[in-house]
Amino acid sequence: MMQKKDFLETIYRMYVKDLYTYGMSCCFDMTIVEDAIHDIFLDIYCRREKLAKIGNLKHYLLSALRYGINFLRKDRHLFEEFDPDCDRLFGSDRQEWMDQEEKADKDQFVDKLLLQLNQHQREVIHLRFAEGLSFGEIAELMQMNRQSVQNLFGRAINKLRKKFNIK
């Protein structure tokens, strides 16, 4: 039988990267994101009996993170500019370095694309593509109706297509 501590560690290891990535797409203050993630897992530990009632754990965690970031950030802006040079770490292996450089270039291009969007459009794009959520799940998470989310997504895609002549 898995102990409660082991269960919490398993959940943490399974979802922390996704939470961090989503958190950083919403708020570029690493300390706020890390604090919000910490608060989520502290809350889970304190109320672990209620976890059995949660249908979609990932959706619950993303929603809790969004709430936690907004709570910690209060009057700050939802989104700040991307820093495309942060967290670039290169290994000593030449091929690994080249792969990471190529990925960094692609990430920089994506960052440039995303800077053309407003905060809600960036969030919808991230949730749809990076997290793989359905429009219904995004609507619930963002507390919007499904049609509004689809419209927001469509406007974001059209804006990117126009700006970068993508068909």
Side-chain angles (χ1 to χ4, degrees):
M1 182 175 176
M2 187 180 288
Q3 292 183 343
K4 293 173 186 172
K5 182 180 174 187
D6 294 335
F7 180 69
L8 185 64
E9 183 178 348
T10 301
I11 292 172
Y12 178 85
R13 289 183 189 278
M14 189 178 302
Y15 293 107
V16 71
K17 288 180 183 175
D18 290 339
L19 291 172
Y20 186 79
T21 302
Y22 173 60
M24 291 302 291
S25 79
C26 296
C27 168
F28 299 115
D29 187 332
M30 183 174 33
T31 58
I32 288 177
V33 173
E34 289 172 351
D35 287 347
I37 291 171
H38 175 266
D39 291 348
I40 289 170
F41 284 96
L42 181 62
D43 187 53
I44 288 173
Y45 180 77
C46 293
R47 296 198 258 165
R48 57 193 168 272
E49 297 81 29
K50 295 182 179 182
L51 278 180
K53 297 177 184 174
I54 297 171
N56 184 335
L57 184 58
K58 184 174 183 178
H59 186 265
Y60 170 82
L61 292 171
L62 292 170
S63 181
L65 180 62
R66 185 174 196 263
Y67 174 81
I69 288 171
N70 287 334
F71 178 78
L72 291 172
R73 206 175 34 201
K74 293 183 182 169
D75 293 326
R76 294 185 196 178
H77 296 290
L78 273 175
F79 288 89
E80 299 164 3
E81 289 193 16
F82 283 89
D83 179 2
D85 294 323
C86 73
D87 294 329
R88 282 193 186 178
L89 300 174
F90 300 103
S92 57
D93 180 58
R94 179 182 164 103
Q95 185 61 42
E96 180 182 338
W97 181 83
M98 289 176 12
D99 291 345
Q100 288 178 349
E101 185 67 25
E102 184 178 332
K103 183 185 179 316
D105 289 343
K106 287 178 183 176
D107 289 346
Q108 191 173 12
F109 177 72
V110 170
D111 291 347
K112 184 179 176 183
L113 285 174
L114 293 177
L115 283 172
Q116 305 303 312
L117 305 176
N118 68 40
Q119 63 191 24
H120 286 95
Q121 289 171 332
R122 281 194 296 258
E123 187 173 3
V124 167
I125 295 294
H126 176 83
L127 290 170
R128 183 73 173 145
F129 292 121
E131 300 301 331
L133 297 181
S134 69
F135 287 118
E137 291 170 324
I138 295 169
E140 185 179 325
L141 184 64
M142 293 181 71
Q143 298 175 345
M144 298 171 67
N145 70 48
R146 181 187 173 105
Q147 187 61 52
S148 295
V149 169
Q150 288 177 302
N151 292 344
L152 187 62
F153 179 81
R155 282 192 301 272
I157 295 297
N158 287 337
K159 187 174 185 178
L160 293 175
R161 285 181 177 156
K162 274 185 180 176
K163 183 74 176 176
F164 295 95
N165 294 322
I166 301 170
K167 294 184 181 195

